[in-house]
Amino acid sequence: MSVTPRRRIRRAVWLGAVCVLAVTGAGLTGCGSEDPDAGTNGLGKLPADKIQAKAGAAAQAADTVRLHGTVEAGGNRYTLDMRLKADGGTGSVAAEGTTFGLLRVGEQLFLKADAGFWSHDGGDAKAADKLAGKYVKVPQSDPVYKKFSGFTDKDVLLDGLLTLHGTVKTDGRHERAGVRTVRITGDDGAGGSLDVSLEGTPYPLRLVRAGSAGTLSLSDWNKDFALEQPAKDDTLDYGKQLPSS
C-alpha cells in the first residue's frame, strides 16, 4: 500500500473519532448528522408565534377532532372524551363522581345518564328512574344547555382552549403517540404548553392549560364519525326545564 492511501485512511479514522467526541462530549450536530427537519412539515424552523398561528388555523379548518382529558372550568374539574364536528358532537363527561353522555345534533342537545346522576343531591327518585338511560332533550332555556353545550361545540371549545398566556416560545422537539412534535409554551410553561405535529398538517396534539387547569389530547383529526338523532324510543322530552339536580 502506498503512503498516500495510508494517510487517507488515518485521516478518515481521525475525523470519525473527532465527530464521535464532538457529538457525545459537546452535544454538537455537525459531522454529517441528519437535518432534524428532514421529513417534517418545516414547522420546527418557524418562530413560536407562527407555529401557534398555523396550529390554530389547522384546527379550525379540520372537519372533526377528538378531545380526551381534563378541563377545569367554573370551579369544577371535568374529564372529557368528546368527538366534535361543525354541526355537533358526542361523547362523555365525568364530574363530581358521576359520568354522563352528551349528544348535540344541530341545536338539539341531549343528556344521557343513570339514575344516580338524576337523583344527585336529593333529586326526585321517581323522576330519576324515568330519566335513567334515556337521551333527555335539554331545553335551550335550561341552564344545563348553556353549561354543557359548549363541550359539544368544536369551534367554541377550540377557540377557548388553544390559547397560551404570556410570552410564547419554542421548547424543543418531542413526540406524541409516535408522531414528532414541536412544543411551544407560554411564559416558560406557566402560561400553558402546546405540542404541534411536525408530520403532515400541523395539528395540535397535546395541550397543557395554564395554571394546572387541565391536560387534553387532541386526535382523530378529520376522521369522520356518525352524528345522528337518538331513536324516539330512547328519547325523553322532560319539558321546559330539567330537574334542578
Side-chain angles (χ1 to χ4, degrees), residues 37-44 174-182 196-203 205:
D37 291 300
T40 74
N41 54 24
L43 204 68
H174 300 269
E175 186 176 298
R176 294 297 303 167
V179 178
R180 290 174 291 173
T181 67
V182 59
V196 184
S197 176
L198 284 171
E199 302 178 17
T201 305
Y203 290 125
L205 299 184

Side-chain angles (χ1 to χ4, degrees), residues 5 24 33 45 58 70 97 127 145 149 156 188 194 201 208 210 225 227 237:
T24 59
S33 62
K45 297 179 180 180
T70 58
Y145 190 96
S149 62
V156 169
D188 298 321
L194 186 66
T201 305
V208 178
F225 60 91
L227 189 64
D237 190 341

